[in-house]
Amino acid sequence: MKGSFSVPGDYIYFKSQVPLHKIPIGSKQWRYYDFGPKHVPPLICLPGIAGTADVYYKQIMSLSNKGYRVISVDIPRVWNHHEWIQAFEKFLDAIDVHHIHLYGTSLGGFLAQLFAQHRPRRVRSLVLSNTFLETSNFSAAMPWAPIVGWTPAFLLKRYVLTGIRDGPHEPFIADSLDFVVAQVETLSKDDLASRLSLTVDSASVGPLRLSDSLITIMDTNDFCAIPQQLKDQVTERYPGARQANLKNGGDFPFLSRPDEVNLHLQLHLRRVGVEAQPDLVQGFRQDGAGGSSSDQNDEREDERRDYTGTRNENEPPLALESPCVGNFENQILSNVDLSSDQ
């Protein structure tokens, strides 16, 4: 990892365009981004221990620009999997979302499977990346778990960061690591302690009612903090799932290999029947308007009726991707047999 971190230009632009929402639900504080046509069933992104809602900013920008709705959330301060299921369901109710598609990486993938198991009527499909089925391996490796809530923040951060493989790395992977490390620095002691507790809380994923054909497994083949044995168990559990393996990308392919990840996500959404609404993609303000939902004025509610985000019809649409990338994706999508699971 580099000695200094330079904030990516596309992330600065993202922050200027996409509002960050913060809402309290019961005793939980939810921090999330919600962008794209609100009438499209959303893809909800769940990060790992070291992630925040911000780590999926490249997916939000790319997929929303194509007419999909993407919601990226911080994992709130919940301390066991039962609390997670109840809290996440209350969050979905609060934002008036009923049927969802989940994209989870590492711990987020585990939590996505648990929610799909216990709330099967709400989950329409899964994309799982570098994840696992049960927590026993992690609890065995963390004998001090019972005192995690009393552990100082700097020790928790050090423990989390030791799971991130240090260099040397190719530049695109090094940049993704630097971004995630910067996000870890924003997390509080309770944020880190609760996520580590979720990792070691005794839990395992049981049978899902969801058909394997509605699951995509997107793993990286180079290196990952999740042991290969645990990733193989996920593949064996869902033999009919679509395999979308990435040659490289490390622990955070959504940052290091965003074009490939976004393409696989788009293929998955099309394959499971999510219809994008590119005609509802509007222009966006170029004056840096955005911020948290608490900063939005009432006069802008009508503006957000058909699109969950800031917009200005006189401005061009948000588009960070080059025309070449877009044409390449469209060519691939047009040639894919979406009726095939493999």
Side-chain angles (χ1 to χ4, degrees):
M1 289 174 277
K2 301 176 184 176
S4 61
F5 172 65
S6 178
V7 179
D10 60 345
Y11 177 64
I12 295 174
Y13 183 58
F14 164 81
K15 293 290 286 184
S16 74
Q17 299 297 308
V18 182
L20 171 64
H21 301 274
K22 298 177 183 178
I23 58 172
I25 303 175
S27 61
K28 312 303 178 189
Q29 179 78 15
W30 286 86
R31 179 181 177 277
Y32 67 101
Y33 296 98
D34 183 355
F35 216 60
K38 62 183 278 188
H39 299 299
V40 175
L43 174 71
I44 300 184
C45 304
L46 303 176
I49 293 177
T52 65
D54 297 66
V55 299
Y56 295 111
Y57 78 93
K58 293 178 181 288
Q59 285 65 55
I60 296 172
M61 299 191 81
S62 175
L63 295 177
S64 66
N65 194 50
K66 293 176 171 62
Y68 294 99
R69 181 182 180 185
V70 184
I71 300 174
S72 178
V73 305
D74 271 7
I75 298 174
R77 293 174 192 170
V78 294
W79 300 86
N80 58 66
H81 64 281
H82 295 296
E83 192 178 2
W84 153 254
I85 293 166
Q86 295 172 1
F88 190 49
E89 185 166 41
K90 290 179 180 178
F91 168 71
L92 297 179
D93 291 340
I95 64 173
D96 196 26
V97 169
H98 303 285
H99 300 137
I100 60 174
H101 302 266
L102 290 175
Y103 169 38
T105 59
S106 189
L107 173 62
F110 177 66
L111 297 178
Q113 293 174 86
L114 286 178
F115 191 77
Q117 175 189 347
H118 292 279
R119 299 294 185 270
R121 289 182 294 180
R122 302 196 81 148
V123 179
R124 290 293 186 257
S125 74
L126 293 173
V127 180
L128 306 174
S129 181
N130 294 336
T131 191
F132 50 92
L133 293 174
E134 48 88 24
T135 60
S136 61
N137 286 66
F138 303 106
S139 58
M142 190 175 162
W144 50 278
I147 62 169
V148 67
W150 291 274
T151 305
F154 78 94
L155 288 178
L156 294 177
K157 289 181 180 179
R158 181 183 300 175
Y159 182 80
V160 170
L161 293 178
T162 56
I164 299 178
R165 181 174 174 178
D166 207 346
H169 294 295
E170 296 179 76
F172 63 91
I173 292 182
D175 289 342
S176 72
L177 297 179
D178 289 341
F179 187 91
V180 171
V181 169
Q183 293 299 306
V184 171
E185 292 299 328
T186 69
L187 298 174
S188 71
K189 180 180 82 72
D190 287 341
D191 290 331
L192 292 167
S194 65
R195 295 178 185 196
L196 289 171
S197 294
L198 285 173
T199 305
V200 299
D201 179 52
S202 180
S204 62
V205 178
L208 303 186
R209 296 185 190 177
L210 199 66
S211 169
D212 285 3
S213 63
L214 300 175
I215 300 174
T216 293
I217 298 175
M218 191 189 330
D219 288 343
T220 52
N221 290 333
D222 49 355
F223 65 86
C224 176
I226 303 301
Q228 186 62 46
Q229 177 186 357
L230 300 187
K231 295 198 294 181
D232 289 342
Q233 291 175 0
V234 177
T235 302
E236 294 167 3
R237 172 68 66 88
Y238 311 115
R242 178 176 177 268
Q243 301 295 319
N245 292 328
L246 305 176
K247 183 178 179 181
N248 53 28
D251 284 291
F252 315 110
F254 42 87
L255 288 167
S256 60
R257 289 295 190 192
D259 291 341
E260 294 177 58
V261 169
N262 295 342
L263 181 58
H264 284 305
L265 290 174
Q266 190 176 358
L267 285 169
H268 173 85
L269 292 172
R270 289 189 58 178
R271 189 167 57 89
V272 300
V274 178
E275 295 185 8
Q277 296 186 8
D279 54 310
L280 292 182
V281 175
Q282 304 292 333
F284 298 86
R285 297 171 65 95
Q286 301 295 318
D287 57 5
S292 69
S293 60
S294 60
D295 297 329
Q296 308 300 320
N297 296 326
D298 292 339
E299 63 190 23
R300 292 169 62 190
E301 288 303 312
D302 290 338
E303 223 179 346
R304 289 157 52 192
R305 186 171 299 148
D306 294 325
Y307 203 88
T308 56
T310 316
R311 64 173 185 158
N312 183 334
E313 294 182 356
N314 295 322
E315 295 291 345
L318 179 70
L320 293 188
E321 299 171 304
S322 69
C324 294
V325 172
N327 292 337
F328 174 71
E329 289 187 1
N330 291 335
Q331 182 178 2
I332 291 179
L333 289 169
S334 65
N335 292 331
V336 170
D337 180 6
L338 295 175
S339 65
S340 174
D341 292 334
Q342 302 293 334

